[in-house]
Amino acid sequence: GMTRVAQRKTIDPTFGRRLRELREAAGLTQSQLGRLAEMLPHVVTRLERGQREPGWQTVQRLAAALGRTPNDFLDPPPEPTP
């Protein structure tokens, strides 16, 4: 019920999905991205699964490692062109 929801802070799954899309688009594994962003690979895994909330510095490091801007994580993925 509502009490369970109130206790657990919900993490927006969109970030993790976008992170994975951008990482795959860059042709990187989770470990490679972790190295570039100076993060442990399991942190990247947890972020992608939505098990961990990224702090602003984390977002900036990941964006830099992917050659993106933090806004790229917020953008909805572009519609596929037919």
Side-chain angles (χ1 to χ4, degrees), residues 1 5 13 15 17 22 26 28 33 41 43 46 48 55 62-63 70 72 74 76 79:
V5 174
F15 178 85
R17 276 203 304 270
L22 294 174
L28 296 171
L33 176 56
V43 174
R46 294 190 61 193
E48 288 189 3
L62 288 166
D72 286 325
L74 309 176
E79 291 296 311

Side-chain angles (χ1 to χ4, degrees), residues 15 37 39 43 47 53-63 73:
F15 178 85
M39 294 163 62
V43 174
L47 287 168
E53 185 82 73
W56 179 237
Q57 274 192 320
T58 300
V59 174
Q60 288 179 305
R61 288 220 301 260
L62 288 166
F73 292 113

